Amino acid sequence: MTIDIQLDVILAQRKMRSKELAQRMGVTEQSLSMLKTGKALGVRFETLNKICNILQCTPNDIIVFSKNE
Amino acid sequence: MNKIKQVSQMMRLLLQLVFIALPIISAFVWWYKPLGLHIPPSLSGYSSFVIGFIPKGLPIMHTLTVMDKVYGFLICLLPLGVMLTIIFYMIKLFGLYAQGRIFSIANVQCLKLSAITLLIWEFILQPIYQILLSATLTWHNPPGHRIATLTFSGIDMLLVFSAIVVWLIAWIMAEGVTILEENKRFV
């Protein structure tokens, strides 16, 4: 059972690059990369709020719980 | 941050100068003024300021020979080595500050190693140094007046206490750095 981050999928759907999202969020590309690759230990609500606002999506679209069988 | 970097760079340069000057001054004092180099009050601001390595009260009943001075200087490489080691770690620490690295494991290591060096000096090297120096300098005294001294004074207790405090600070900083690194992984 894992938590998957689907940020790349949403970015592709919105035709937006990570760099642009990072700039609009006011974070570094490295921070965003950590989130995308699952290396982040956690996400702040503030960050999630910014992502959802910019990408016009819900947290469910970005953070997906999957049961690996 | 710029101010931290500037001050750190200045401190680093100052410490590098001290690192070079210390062995030169030590050799000079041993060669020309082994019994102590008296700095006049006009320069030192103190009524009595002496740069020297021979403990006060050590009964030297002969004129120090060239070999006495050479041996004395070689024995003094012990405390000199300790001082230079600590100064080296401080140069490294201020170098890290000058790069803007304030909280990192490397900084913690500098503090920790300085504290360990000081403790090694106090408990291992200083006794060896004191015994060697006193025995060497009184070797040519008349029989019955050759001594080997060993002291542990208030200043030594203060140094041990300071070393322990610095070690604790380093440990706390290490814990803090771990928390900081963990927090960095929260986006």
Side-chain angles (χ1 to χ4, degrees):
Chain A
M1 291 177 286
T2 57
I3 302 283
D4 293 325
I5 306 295
Q6 305 283 330
L7 190 57
D8 273 333
V9 172
I10 308 295
L11 281 169
Q13 286 173 358
R14 303 289 186 269
K15 293 185 174 57
M16 191 185 286
R17 287 176 189 258
S18 302
K19 191 176 176 178
E20 185 188 340
L21 179 61
Q23 278 173 353
R24 287 174 69 173
M25 283 173 66
V27 298
T28 61
E29 271 187 82
Q30 287 94 331
S31 299
L32 208 55
S33 173
M34 268 203 313
L35 181 60
K36 281 178 5 180
T37 55
K39 286 180 183 162
L41 281 179
V43 189
R44 296 188 179 92
F45 287 128
E46 188 193 341
T47 306
L48 204 52
N49 190 32
K50 282 182 188 173
I51 293 172
C52 292
N53 265 325
I54 294 166
L55 297 179
Q56 292 295 297
C57 61
T58 65
N60 274 347
D61 297 327
I62 300 165
I63 303 169
V64 173
F65 175 68
S66 61
K67 290 181 188 178
N68 296 329
E69 290 176 17
Chain B
M1 181 58 94
N2 276 337
K3 209 168 181 182
I4 291 173
K5 286 180 178 178
Q6 277 169 14
V7 169
S8 302
Q9 187 60 18
M10 268 167 49
M11 270 307 296
R12 189 164 168 256
L13 283 168
L14 185 66
L15 286 168
Q16 282 169 336
L17 282 170
V18 170
F19 190 88
I20 295 165
L22 217 48
I24 298 170
I25 291 170
S26 304
F28 176 86
V29 169
W30 266 110
W31 190 253
Y32 292 108
K33 297 275 181 186
L35 297 176
L37 177 67
H38 293 258
I39 308 291
S42 54
L43 280 174
S44 67
Y46 292 97
S47 57
S48 170
F49 191 86
V50 180
I51 298 176
F53 298 96
I54 296 175
K56 208 175 177 181
L58 189 70
I60 299 172
M61 297 173 176
H62 62 282
T63 310
L64 291 175
T65 63
V66 169
M67 287 317 292
D68 286 335
K69 292 178 187 180
V70 168
Y71 290 143
F73 177 69
L74 287 174
I75 294 166
C76 272
L77 289 179
L78 276 171
L80 195 60
V82 167
M83 276 193 273
L84 291 177
T85 304
I86 293 174
I87 290 171
F88 170 76
Y89 290 134
M90 290 299 110
I91 289 171
K92 206 173 166 188
L93 182 63
F94 280 103
L96 289 165
Y97 290 154
Q99 289 170 24
R101 289 170 64 182
I102 313 296
F103 298 108
S104 72
I105 290 296
N107 297 43
V108 169
Q109 279 294 95
C110 290
L111 285 172
K112 206 171 171 181
L113 290 170
S114 299
I116 291 171
T117 305
L118 201 51
L119 288 171
I120 290 173
W121 162 252
E122 283 297 326
F123 290 115
I124 299 170
L125 297 177
Q126 191 180 211
I128 296 170
Y129 162 72
Q130 285 181 346
I131 292 169
L132 275 178
L133 189 67
S134 52
T136 303
L137 295 180
T138 58
W139 194 254
H140 297 295
N141 280 2
H145 293 277
R146 295 168 192 153
I147 60 171
T149 63
L150 185 61
T151 58
F152 193 80
S153 66
I155 296 282
D156 295 305
M157 286 205 308
L158 197 61
L159 282 174
V160 167
F161 178 72
S162 304
I164 292 169
V165 166
V166 170
W167 196 348
L168 280 171
I169 289 170
W171 175 77
I172 289 168
M173 274 185 71
E175 295 295 305
V177 164
T178 309
I179 294 168
L180 200 73
E181 292 298 317
E182 205 175 278
N183 279 343
K184 273 186 193 171
R185 292 177 65 193
F186 276 85
V187 179

